[in-house]
Structure formats: C-alpha cells, structure tokens
Amino acid sequence: MHWNEVIGQEEVRERLLQMVSEDRLPHAIMLCGPNGVGKLALAVAFASHLLGEDNAMVKNLQHPDLHFTYPTIKLPSMGADHMPVSDDFAREWHELIMQGPYFSMDDWLTAIGAENQQAIITAGESDELVRKLSLKSSQGGYKVSIIWLPERMNIPCANKLLKLIEEPPQQTVFLMCCEDPDKLLETIRSRVQRIDVKRIPEDTLQQALIERRGIDEQQARRVARLAGGSWLRAMEELQAGTENEQFLDLFILLMRQAYKRDVRSMKGWSETMAAFGREKQKRFLNYFLHMVRESFVYNFHQPELTYMSQSEENFARNFARFINEANVLPITDLINLAIRDIGQNANAKIVFFDLALQMIVLLIQK
C-alpha cells in the first residue's frame, strides 16, 4: 500500500519518514486518534515503506514479516479451551483491508459474523506474537507488527505484550492504532512513542470526496463539514439510509416519550435498544451525545458552530430549548455512564430503561 491511499496526515507521514532517515526509529509507535482519521492507513503505508513498497507480497499485504493483530470473537465451532487469535480470521481480515484501510469495528464485526459479542484481543494472541516475532526476518530486514485497537486487549494479553515490548526481538517494529489510549496499561503507554493523529481538515476531506467519490463541490463541502474530520463519517453521510437516520428516529422517539412521561412506551423503547448488539448500542449512545451537544449549541444561533444534517436540524429547531445549562452536563454524565455500563456487559434493558426514566426528570430542568 502506498502513501497516496492515506487521506491527508502529511505531518505524521513526514515525521515517520524522518525517523527512518535519521536512523532513530523507535521499536514501538502508537498512533492515537479518533475513528476514521487514518491511523490504520498510516500504519499499513509505513509498514509497506519499511518492507519495500515495490515488493509484490507487500502490495498484497501478505509479506511474511508483516503481522496483523486485531480483536476477535469466540465462534461456536471453536473448542472450549481455544483462545481466539487473529489467524483464525486471517481470510476475513485480508478481504476487508484489501478493500481499503478505512473501516470501523462494526464493519469488522460484520465481516466475521459477530452478533452480540464484543471483540477482544486474547492472551493467545500475545503468545502467537511471541512465537512469530522470535523467528528471523525472512527477507533480512524489519519485522512489523501492526496492532489494531490495542485497547481491546484483555489484561493477560496486555501483560504479555508489555514483556514483548520491553525486550523486543531484533529489528521488530510495533505499530499500534489506538482510539482510546487511556484504556491501555500505563506501563505500555510509557514504553511506546505516541503520535497523535489529528482529525482530517475539512478542505482535505472535501477534495478527497471530489477526487475519490466523484461528487460535486457543493455536496462535498456539506459532507466534509458534517464528517467532523473522519473519512468514515463522510462515507456514512454519502450512503442512503444510514444508521444515523435510524438513530435519529430512536432519539426523537425517546425525547417525545420522555416529554409525555409515557413510561409504558419507554419500556418498549428500551426493549428495542436491548435487541441491538452491544457495539451498536454504544454507537447509539455516542450519537445521543452528539445530538445533546448540537442541540445545546443550536441555542446560541451561530450556524458555524453546529454540525447537524438537515433532518437533525429540523428536529433541533423545536427541541433545542429543552437542552440548557441546567441539564446539559447531567444528561452527558448519564449517557457516559450508560456507555460504561454497556461496555461492562450490564443488562442492556435495565440500562436503557433507567436512562429513559431519568430523561423525564432531566428534560424539565431549567
């Protein structure tokens, strides 16, 4: 994969290349940033540079010295004692990443047939890495280990990886693509060189949309603004019938039920939410945060500060007055608590019903 597949991020690219040219490449780099800004694209492009961009195996992302680690799930066909590892899903991973290095966890879960499971990186994966990286480089150069979403490592895996990073095999480079570094062991964070990958500038997104998706300048400008610096969000905005439309309908439904204090209907709403997989539940809650923030800002009547689609703005026009200085922070805290509880496998029906009931009280605060 070549650098031209990375959208923007010239500053990070130059920093990585400078490390190589000045012979001060660290053995472990962590690329940190939000979803959709190109962390994996940067990692794969840099790995290709280290291994030889013109190598046919590198172009096909099947070089023997290039290793991918990513979250996995336990399939029903796996034995009781088997800890899932990346190699169990190598075919699905290769098919997905060859389509392009910009994809979400939901895309990955769909590719591997996950339903309500949460994907993690197990201790079995770190054992596999130790085994693979202990071998000599097949081409006599670098061995590159790309770890996608290392914050999803369980504790046994994280502890084993820590030892591997502390005493790395010769000519091994770890490239981690992380969205939530605070969830990693502090001892791991202290042993890697962190590089923050910023959101993609609007003008860069706009130009990429015109060149790569063939849309007109006006539409590209609107989509780039709504995307918030994320290429994935931009792609979602281009798709008809996106998940966000469903989330908006669910958000509007809950707000109306809370306003009417229709507890029976709210119970049905919470059951609908509980039927979603946990990853989708967390995406909805993050969308909830988005709508609360945008509704609050809408009250200031400064369009340049709001980032809503037309349908979102149509609802906010009448709803925004219910989100004010008295309740915006309590509502935000409530949603963040729900995100935490869902992430810890709490009963989703209880979590969402409790959230719904508390919204009755919070919406009337002034």
Side-chain angles (χ1 to χ4, degrees):
M1 173 182 160
H2 289 281
W3 290 106
N4 58 15
E5 292 187 50
V6 181
I7 300 169
Q9 308 302 353
E10 288 84 1
E11 184 180 338
V12 177
R13 172 182 178 271
E14 292 305 315
R15 183 174 175 183
L16 291 169
L17 293 177
Q18 187 176 11
M19 289 176 177
V20 177
S21 64
E22 295 179 355
D23 196 24
R24 54 181 183 86
L25 180 63
H27 70 274
I29 297 172
M30 186 164 68
L31 301 170
C32 299
N35 187 27
V37 298
K39 301 179 297 297
L40 182 59
L42 284 163
V44 175
F46 188 47
S48 300
H49 175 78
L50 294 176
L51 296 172
E53 295 175 353
D54 296 328
N55 186 303
M57 292 184 293
V58 172
K59 290 181 179 179
N60 199 38
L61 299 184
Q62 291 184 323
H63 193 284
D65 295 324
L66 175 61
H67 307 285
F68 288 102
T69 292
Y70 35 83
T72 59
I73 60 170
K74 182 104 173 186
L75 295 175
S77 58
M78 295 176 178
D81 297 331
H82 178 73
M83 286 188 291
V85 295
S86 296
D87 283 352
D88 293 329
F89 300 92
R91 178 180 60 81
E92 291 86 352
W93 175 264
H94 187 257
E95 289 176 356
L96 186 61
I97 200 169
M98 288 301 292
Q99 294 172 21
Y102 291 85
F103 52 84
S104 65
M105 172 54 70
D106 188 50
D107 295 328
W108 174 233
L109 292 176
T110 300
I112 60 178
E115 294 180 354
N116 292 330
Q117 296 187 65
Q118 295 198 74
I120 65 169
I121 303 176
T122 69
E125 183 68 35
S126 51
D127 292 337
E128 277 292 289
L129 272 179
V130 170
R131 181 186 65 80
K132 291 176 180 177
L133 298 177
S134 64
L135 302 174
K136 288 185 177 181
S137 166
S138 66
Q139 307 292 308
Y142 287 105
K143 293 175 288 184
V144 182
S145 171
I146 296 178
I147 305 177
W148 185 56
L149 303 181
E151 62 267 38
R152 287 181 175 257
M153 291 186 293
N154 62 17
I155 295 300
C157 177
N159 286 327
K160 290 182 179 181
L161 181 66
L162 173 61
K163 293 181 180 179
L164 192 58
I165 292 175
E166 287 178 330
E167 300 178 9
Q170 188 176 10
Q171 283 193 292
T172 296
V173 177
F174 293 93
L175 300 175
M176 303 183 186
C177 306
C178 185
E179 292 178 7
D180 197 347
D182 289 341
K183 291 183 178 178
L184 275 171
L185 293 179
E186 196 282 328
T187 44
I188 290 181
R189 298 200 305 268
S190 67
R191 285 164 175 77
V192 303
Q193 174 140 354
R194 173 171 172 166
I195 298 178
D196 289 318
V197 184
K198 299 176 182 177
R199 294 183 182 276
I200 306 169
E202 278 187 27
D203 57 345
T204 303
L205 272 179
Q206 180 180 330
Q207 191 60 34
L209 286 165
I210 294 171
E211 294 176 355
R212 301 183 184 214
R213 291 296 179 268
I215 63 177
D216 61 62
E217 183 176 348
Q218 183 177 359
Q219 185 186 11
R221 187 183 304 113
R222 182 189 66 82
V223 171
R225 189 168 186 278
L226 291 173
S230 167
W231 180 251
L232 288 179
R233 177 75 188 277
M235 293 301 97
E236 290 173 1
E237 291 295 333
L238 285 179
Q239 295 172 4
T242 63
E243 186 177 69
N244 279 358
E245 293 179 3
Q246 179 189 24
F247 287 169
L248 176 60
D249 290 340
L250 288 166
F251 178 79
I252 292 174
L253 182 61
L254 176 61
M255 295 305 103
R256 288 175 174 166
Q257 291 171 348
Y259 180 76
K260 295 177 182 178
R261 303 187 182 188
D262 188 349
V263 176
R264 177 175 295 181
S265 295
M266 295 168 90
K267 184 174 182 293
W269 179 89
S270 64
E271 290 171 349
T272 297
M273 293 303 308
F276 293 156
R278 291 193 178 269
E279 295 297 333
K280 186 171 183 178
Q281 290 167 357
K282 287 189 285 187
R283 290 198 304 278
F284 169 76
L285 290 168
N286 279 301
Y287 179 82
F288 200 137
L289 282 173
H290 158 75
M291 283 302 298
V292 169
R293 183 264 177 198
E294 297 304 328
S295 297
F296 179 67
V297 174
Y298 188 86
N299 292 310
F300 297 109
H301 304 292
Q302 297 187 39
E304 70 277 6
L305 297 179
T306 57
Y307 295 84
M308 289 188 283
S309 66
Q310 189 60 58
S311 54
E312 290 170 343
E313 187 174 341
N314 290 342
F315 176 68
R317 191 172 295 120
N318 293 318
F319 171 73
R321 68 181 186 274
F322 293 99
I323 306 298
N324 51 63
E325 292 180 357
N327 64 14
V328 64
L329 291 180
I331 292 175
T332 299
D333 291 341
L334 175 65
I335 302 168
N336 282 323
L337 178 62
I339 292 173
R340 188 203 68 182
D341 290 342
I342 291 298
Q344 294 179 350
N345 292 318
N347 186 301
K349 192 179 298 185
I350 294 175
V351 171
F352 283 103
F353 191 44
D354 177 68
L355 182 152
L357 291 176
Q358 293 198 53
M359 285 304 301
I360 293 177
V361 177
L362 290 171
L363 280 183
I364 63 175
Q365 290 187 8
K366 296 181 179 180

